[in-house]
Amino acid sequence: MQSYLFTRNVKQKEQRTKGKHLVDLTHKVAQKFVFEGKHKEAIPAALHSLRFSIDTCGPDSVELVPAYLILAEASTGLGHLTQAEEYLSQAQWIVLKTSDCSNGIQSKLHRNLGLLYAAKGNFEESLYHLATDIYFASCAFGTHDISTSGGYFHMANVFFRQNKMDIADSLYTEVSSTSKCI
């Protein structure tokens, strides 16, 4: 009986390891497509990443958030803003229910929300989420990290779209000074 339980535990551990490998692989493929601007091609890989994450970690795990974020980013890139908002709502719900969610994940969530609201023309909401992104990125990576400067850059773009050039220029300057620190 003990050998049966031991064998079953070993097989379950192997299944989880394979599942995590598939999550990582499909997420990297989806991310690559998004970086290349191939948003339509990113969707199937991101959906597989989400499915493998659910199978490996369960339906309420914070490990699902990266898949939801890449799905939202690809959907935004395709102009499917309602679908992107649904994915971000799922990610936000998981983050809200998770007490030990990392600052890095929260930064990425708020950056995606900020970009979504900017695409929808809701600049006030966009700026709120981008400021929150900068806060969490600063907590996770420090104030002079390239990860933090992305939030400043997107905020500058929003102010530029609002024709508030002084603020936009100030934020673009912050981005360029951060990139010199690298």
Side-chain angles (χ1 to χ4, degrees):
M1 181 69 167
Q2 281 185 330
S3 66
Y4 168 75
L5 292 175
F6 176 76
T7 304
R8 190 174 88 189
N9 286 339
V10 168
K11 287 183 181 185
Q12 287 175 338
K13 187 175 180 180
E14 287 174 3
Q15 289 284 96
R16 278 193 303 275
T17 302
K18 287 177 185 177
K20 287 181 181 183
H21 176 71
L22 288 172
V23 168
D24 290 340
L25 177 65
T26 53
H27 184 78
K28 285 178 184 174
V29 169
Q31 205 167 37
K32 177 182 177 285
F33 282 134
V34 167
F35 287 149
E36 293 173 350
K38 299 176 180 177
H39 299 101
K40 190 173 184 178
E41 289 86 347
I43 298 287
L47 285 170
H48 277 78
S49 178
L50 178 62
R51 188 183 63 139
F52 294 139
S53 295
I54 291 169
D55 291 347
T56 305
C57 305
D60 295 325
S61 172
V62 73
E63 301 298 322
L64 276 60
V65 173
Y68 281 124
L69 295 179
I70 201 81
L71 282 164
E73 197 170 343
S75 296
T76 301
L78 291 170
H80 302 155
L81 301 183
T82 302
Q83 185 65 55
E85 194 164 20
E86 288 178 27
Y87 289 132
L88 289 173
S89 292
Q90 290 292 325
Q92 193 171 29
W93 179 244
I94 291 170
V95 166
L96 288 171
K97 293 190 315 182
T98 306
S99 61
D100 61 343
C101 187
S102 75
N103 289 327
I105 290 287
Q106 292 187 65
S107 167
K108 289 177 186 176
L109 171 63
H110 285 284
R111 182 165 303 173
N112 276 278
L113 286 164
L115 293 173
L116 171 70
Y117 287 117
K120 292 174 84 173
N122 186 343
F123 298 130
E124 288 301 313
E125 196 70 20
S126 174
L127 290 171
Y128 167 78
H129 285 290
L130 291 171
T132 307
D133 159 35
I134 292 167
Y135 168 76
F136 282 116
S138 296
C139 291
F141 310 110
T143 56
H144 294 294
D145 189 86
I146 192 77
S147 300
T148 307
S149 69
Y152 287 116
F153 178 77
H154 293 302
M155 278 184 94
N157 288 342
V158 170
F159 282 115
F160 183 83
R161 288 179 63 188
Q162 291 179 312
N163 209 22
K164 296 179 179 178
M165 298 306 175
D166 290 345
I167 300 171
D169 288 342
S170 170
L171 291 168
Y172 287 133
T173 301
E174 178 66 28
V175 171
S176 66
S177 70
T178 301
S179 64
K180 290 176 186 173
C181 296
I182 297 172

